[in-house]
Amino acid sequence: MRWQCGTRFRGLRPAAAPWTALLALGLPGWVLAVSATAAAVGPEQHASAAGQHPLDWLLTDRGPFHRAQEYADFMERYRQDLQDLELKYLLQKQDSRIEVHSIFISNDMRLGSWFDPSWRKRMLLTLKSNKYKPGLVHVMLALSLQICLTKNSTLEPVMAIYVNPFGGSHSESWFMPVNEGSFPDWERTNVDAAAQCQNWTITLGNRWKTFFETVHVYLRSRIKSLDDSSNETIYYEPLEMTDPSKNLGYMKINTLQVFGYSLPFDPDAIRDLILQLDYPYTQGSQDSALLQLIELRDRVNQLSPPGKVRLDLFSCLLRHRLKLANNEVGRIQSSLRAFNSKLPNPVEYETGKLCS
């Protein structure tokens, strides 16, 4: 059975997909069982095209499974997981072609320098798109840090991540709920055993990918120890240590990187659509502009972070990338809701406010 995989990053296909065998092992048992049974049937009867495996017909629209709900659920997971596996492959290679180059800023520390981690450190990566990249918006697929500790250190890094989608103040950022619910957790890989360096990577993938303009990282430390009575790992805050003479060690961050891609962004075209809400060019152009703005709003809000309600990222886009006033943003949103309510089978959803 042949599996074909594609990537949305042109020119980044690995020579050999390392997960092909894993996909075969991950097939549902009932697919493998019927595949074995069908092997007794003449293979020439089912070959759908020259050069194809004789059992390929099982998974086509002429096979017995294309209407099965179990198969549909499996294929949905397969499509999503395969793309995430491709992303993990590129992250393992630290492929620079999926790195979104950004500006590192911190008043508390410098990259590549040792520091005392007893107190919270703040750092951020920003793009300053309005100044340097006005024709692009940016999507984050993963965040990676390389953290080093001094030898025999008992420190454990703890990071809080805030993401600002399109600019503005820090209060217009959302908190990344690492390892909460189905949201992914940090993955650690050893880099240099002598220097005790590890790559800490959180992979959002296609399920949790989101827009970003600035990523705020708050780093603090806790002390990992072993409880003699229960033989369990326990953690202390550094200031809670009973013996202040103990050397907690030092920490160093070598790299802080965001991986993802950039999308073309034409603010003048969006302004032209907004202008037609009040001054339509021709009869019907106002309705066309409203439909396009609704489509744009829904696509932007689709990349909202996890939560009970979606965040209104579209208003942030209008506010910070198009530089529209608050009252203008509110008027546009009201016009879109009024027009959407008149459409057949309207789909409306509740959004939470993020940007002022």
Side-chain angles (χ1 to χ4, degrees):
M1 197 173 299
R2 299 188 308 169
W3 298 91
Q4 295 179 347
C5 59
T7 177
R8 53 190 313 169
F9 305 106
R10 184 173 298 174
L12 297 182
R13 185 187 303 277
W19 50 82
T20 307
L22 296 178
L23 286 174
L25 293 174
L27 279 170
W30 47 268
V31 172
L32 295 177
V34 179
S35 297
T37 304
V41 183
E44 67 280 356
Q45 300 177 22
H46 300 299
S48 55
Q52 285 193 335
H53 193 281
L55 298 182
D56 280 354
W57 70 277
L58 285 170
L59 301 179
T60 66
D61 56 1
R62 290 179 293 171
F65 300 127
H66 74 285
R67 294 186 183 277
Q69 184 61 43
E70 295 92 339
Y71 173 67
D73 294 341
F74 165 74
M75 287 303 295
E76 181 62 30
R77 292 194 301 271
Y78 157 75
R79 292 189 185 97
Q80 187 178 66
D81 292 344
L82 179 62
Q83 294 178 20
D84 288 345
L85 283 171
E86 288 181 309
L87 176 60
K88 288 180 183 294
Y89 176 82
L90 297 173
L91 288 174
Q92 288 174 0
K93 298 297 182 182
Q94 292 289 298
D95 198 307
S96 61
R97 288 172 291 180
I98 62 169
E99 180 184 357
V100 182
H101 297 284
S102 49
I103 303 169
F104 175 85
I105 299 175
S106 177
N107 292 327
D108 300 331
M109 50 156 292
R110 291 185 298 173
L111 291 177
S113 298
W114 294 98
F115 58 87
D116 181 0
S118 300
W119 303 97
R120 187 184 72 168
K121 307 295 181 183
R122 178 186 175 187
M123 66 201 88
L124 61 88
L125 288 176
T126 186
L127 296 167
K128 296 188 176 181
S129 296
N130 286 325
K131 183 176 182 180
Y132 298 112
K133 303 175 182 179
L136 297 173
V137 292
H138 314 279
V139 176
M140 177 168 59
L141 292 172
L143 177 69
S144 180
L145 302 89
Q146 187 176 110
I147 302 177
C148 302
L149 300 171
T150 51
K151 192 174 182 180
N152 298 326
S153 174
T154 58
L155 292 171
E156 178 84 2
V158 180
M159 285 157 290
I161 311 296
Y162 291 83
V163 180
N164 186 300
F166 297 112
S169 66
H170 181 274
S171 62
E172 296 170 320
S173 306
W174 57 270
F175 174 71
M176 188 177 288
V178 177
N179 199 27
E180 293 183 11
S182 58
F183 200 83
D185 195 5
W186 291 101
E187 298 178 12
R188 309 187 206 182
T189 54
N190 292 325
V191 179
D192 186 351
Q196 289 188 291
C197 295
Q198 288 183 323
N199 280 338
W200 287 58
T201 304
I202 184 166
T203 304
L204 305 183
N206 287 286
R207 181 177 182 183
W208 300 116
K209 64 184 178 182
T210 187
F211 291 107
F212 86 100
E213 175 66 23
T214 302
V215 178
H216 301 264
V217 180
Y218 292 91
L219 172 67
R220 61 183 182 86
S221 301
R222 58 185 180 179
I223 299 168
K224 183 167 61 174
S225 180
L226 188 66
D227 190 351
D228 296 332
S229 60
S230 61
N231 202 28
E232 294 182 353
T233 302
I234 56 176
Y235 297 94
Y236 298 96
E237 294 296 326
L239 296 179
E240 296 177 0
M241 286 297 293
T242 56
D243 186 0
S245 64
K246 280 190 175 181
N247 180 16
L248 301 179
Y250 291 89
M251 188 178 295
K252 177 175 67 172
I253 296 182
N254 287 330
T255 59
L256 175 58
Q257 300 168 289
V258 175
F259 294 94
Y261 54 91
S262 299
L263 297 171
F265 172 67
D266 189 353
D268 292 332
I270 302 177
R271 290 190 186 97
D272 183 69
L273 291 175
I274 294 172
L275 186 63
Q276 293 185 57
L277 302 186
D278 296 321
Y279 307 101
Y281 295 156
T282 60
Q283 184 177 4
S285 65
Q286 184 183 57
D287 290 353
S288 175
L290 285 164
L291 286 172
Q292 292 180 67
L293 287 172
I294 289 175
E295 176 73 12
L296 177 62
R297 178 198 66 180
D298 294 344
R299 287 181 177 271
V300 170
N301 288 341
Q302 190 174 5
L303 297 189
S304 173
K308 294 182 179 179
V309 297
R310 293 183 184 179
L311 292 179
D312 186 7
L313 300 185
F314 182 62
S315 290
C316 298
L317 177 71
L318 298 178
R319 181 74 182 89
H320 297 298
R321 295 305 301 271
L322 270 68
K323 300 295 183 182
L324 299 182
N326 288 333
N327 58 345
E328 183 70 7
V329 173
R331 188 181 68 85
I332 294 170
Q333 291 281 32
S334 298
S335 299
L336 296 183
R337 285 192 294 268
F339 181 78
N340 188 69
S341 64
K342 300 176 183 177
L343 296 175
N345 302 319
V347 177
E348 197 62 58
Y349 50 88
E350 181 184 357
T351 57
K353 186 177 181 180
L354 178 64
C355 298
S356 58

